[in-house]
Amino acid sequence: MIAFGIAFGIVLLCCTLAQAQFPRACTTTDALRNKSCCPLWKDGSPCGSSSGRGECRDGIVFVLFSIGKVRQYDDDRLNWPKFYYDKTCECFGNYSGHDCGDCKYGYSGDKCDRKKTVVRKEIRELSLLERKRFFSYLALAKTTKSHDFVVLTTGDRHHRDAYRFVDASIYDMFSWIHYYSIKPILRNGRFNATTNYAHQGPAFPGWHRLGLLFLERQIQLMTGDDSFAMPYYDWRGEEKCSICTNDFLRDNDVQGILSQYSHFASWKVSGEMVTVWAKEGWP
Ligand SMILES: *[C@@H]1O[C@H](CO)[C@@H](O)[C@H](O)[C@H]1NC(C)=O
Ligand SMILES: *[C@@H]1O[C@H](CO)[C@@H](O)[C@H](O)[C@H]1NC(C)=O
Ligand SMILES: *[C@@H]1O[C@H](CO)[C@@H](O)[C@H](O)[C@H]1NC(C)=O
C-alpha cells in the first residue's frame, strides 16, 4: 500500500503536489456567497439526498489540512473547508465524493455495495504493458482537463468577490493540491511560508497517500479503467535509485537535467501556476 515513493519521483520532476480543491459546482457566485457546497447529484437533489446517498450539512470538516504543527486560525486551509463553506455534503454508508456521487475507497457499483480490490504492484514488477499503461495514463492526466474541479489562484483569500478559479488538468489539479498544502499564505500583507501541512511533520506519509489515492481515482474515472492502481516503489535495500532510469521515472543528462528521453521530458508546468508561484513564492 505504500504508494508515496512514486509520488516522490514525480514531485521532484515536475514541481508538483488530498480531498480535492474546489468542486466546480461550488465556485458559482451563489455558492460562494451562501457558503454552500452541496452540488446537485444526477437525481437533481443536493448531495443525492433523494436517493439516500447523503445530506447537505453544517460544519463538516475534512481532516486533511487540520493537522498542522502550528495552529493558525487565519489560515484558510485549517479545518478545511470551513473558511469557504458552512455547508457541505455528508455522504452515507459506502458513498463518497463532493456530491456523494462516488463510492468510498474499496467499493464500487451504482449503489457502492460491491467490494472492489485493486492490485497495487511494485513498479519494477509491472509487465511492460502495465508499465506503458501507467505512463500513458499519467501523460493523459497531464493533458486532460479536470471536469469536476477547478483551482483557486487568488493569493488573498479574504476578498471573496475577487476569487479567480481556473481550469487545470487532472495531473495539475493533483499538483496544485500539493502546492496548496504547503503554500505561503498572506499574513499582514506579506506571503508567509511558515505553515506546511504536508511536509516536516507526522502527517507526511498519510497526507501523500491520500493525495495519491485522489490521483488514482481521478485516473480511474478519466480512463474508465477501474482496475488501475498506482504502483509503489520498495526502496528497501536500494543503494541507489534503481528506478531513476528512463524506463521508469527518469534519467539525468550530464548536467543533471532531466533526460530528453524521459517519459516526462515534454511536460510543462502550467502558465497559471508559474504566475502564482512568481507572486507568492515557493516555500
Ligand atoms: C443561495 O441562497 C439563495 C437565497 O437563500 C437561494 O435562492 C439559492 O438557491 C442558494 N444557492 C445555492 C447555490 O445554495
Ligand atoms: C457497503 O458495501 C458492503 C460490501 O458490499 C456491503 O456489505 C454493505 O452493506 C454496504 N454498506 C452500506 C451502508 O450500503
Ligand atoms: C510568519 O508567521 C509566523 C506565524 O504566525 C510568525 O511567527 C512569523 O513571524 C511570520 N513571518 C514573517 C516574516 O512575518
Side-chain angles (χ1 to χ4, degrees):
M1 279 299 287
I2 305 168
F4 62 84
I6 290 300
F8 251 122
I10 295 167
V11 167
L12 293 174
L13 275 173
C14 49
C15 345
T16 4
L17 292 209
Q19 198 72 13
Q21 261 275 353
F22 289 77
R24 192 182 290 276
C26 303
T27 58
T28 60
T29 313
D30 231 20
L32 288 166
R33 208 171 277 154
N34 290 8
K35 294 190 81 179
S36 169
C37 180
C38 293
L40 305 182
W41 186 58
K42 62 184 180 198
D43 66 357
S45 67
C47 314
S49 56
S50 324
S51 309
R53 296 182 79 95
E55 205 65 70
C56 184
R57 294 259 161 89
D58 270 328
I60 312 281
V61 165
F62 301 99
V63 291
L64 180 66
F65 291 132
S66 312
I67 10 174
K69 55 180 176 179
V70 191
R71 296 200 165 254
Q72 288 152 356
Y73 295 97
D74 60 344
D75 190 328
D76 59 310
R77 299 165 295 186
L78 196 69
N79 295 325
W80 185 262
K82 267 190 126 161
F83 185 90
Y84 297 97
Y85 303 105
D86 292 329
K87 289 181 188 303
T88 45
C89 292
E90 182 178 29
C91 307
F92 304 141
N94 299 341
Y95 299 116
S96 178
H98 62 283
D99 58 359
C100 302
D102 203 0
C103 304
K104 277 190 182 144
Y105 184 80
Y107 296 98
S108 69
D110 287 346
K111 297 211 142 55
C112 300
D113 53 359
R114 284 206 310 270
K115 278 263 188 207
K116 172 178 146 183
T117 311
V118 294
V119 180
R120 195 176 304 292
K121 292 187 181 170
E122 215 279 342
I123 189 162
R124 291 163 295 180
E125 286 168 5
L126 296 176
S127 67
L128 183 62
L129 198 66
E130 287 168 333
R131 194 190 334 142
K132 283 196 184 299
R133 179 176 74 157
F134 173 53
F135 287 111
S136 308
Y137 282 0
L138 284 182
L140 197 59
K142 178 67 182 162
T143 52
T144 304
K145 184 173 108 175
S146 171
H147 179 261
D148 291 336
F149 302 106
V150 289
V151 299
L152 174 60
T153 59
T154 317
D156 182 352
R157 308 300 154 100
H158 300 280
H159 295 101
R160 269 164 211 276
D161 293 339
Y163 287 169
R164 196 171 117 74
F165 294 97
V166 302
D167 286 326
S169 75
I170 287 166
Y171 191 88
D172 286 347
M173 181 66 53
F174 164 67
S175 203
W176 189 264
I177 291 168
H178 193 286
Y179 174 63
Y180 201 90
S181 72
I182 62 176
K183 74 188 284 303
I185 64 157
L186 198 62
R187 182 165 287 148
N188 303 324
R190 283 161 62 186
F191 283 102
N192 180 315
T194 310
T195 312
N196 183 325
Y197 291 98
H199 297 168
Q200 297 159 17
F204 185 92
W207 194 93
H208 287 84
R209 283 181 198 189
L210 277 178
L212 285 162
L213 289 179
F214 170 74
L215 180 62
E216 177 177 281
R217 183 64 188 139
Q218 292 298 306
I219 289 179
Q220 289 174 353
L221 292 168
M222 170 186 77
T223 56
D225 180 352
D226 242 24
S227 70
F228 169 70
M230 281 287 179
Y232 64 95
Y233 171 41
D234 181 358
W235 64 78
R236 288 173 302 173
E238 291 267 275
E239 279 170 11
K240 62 180 188 49
C241 173
S242 66
I243 59 167
C244 296
T245 67
N246 289 333
D247 284 341
F248 294 98
L249 291 191
R250 52 119 182 89
D251 207 349
N252 291 335
D253 66 16
V254 284
Q255 275 109 33
I257 292 171
L258 180 67
S259 156
Q260 60 172 313
Y261 303 108
S262 150
H263 294 288
F264 305 108
S266 63
W267 283 35
K268 297 221 165 22
V269 179
S270 101
E272 287 285 349
M273 292 191 189
V274 173
T275 312
V276 171
W277 293 338
K279 201 167 63 193
E280 302 184 352
W282 176 257

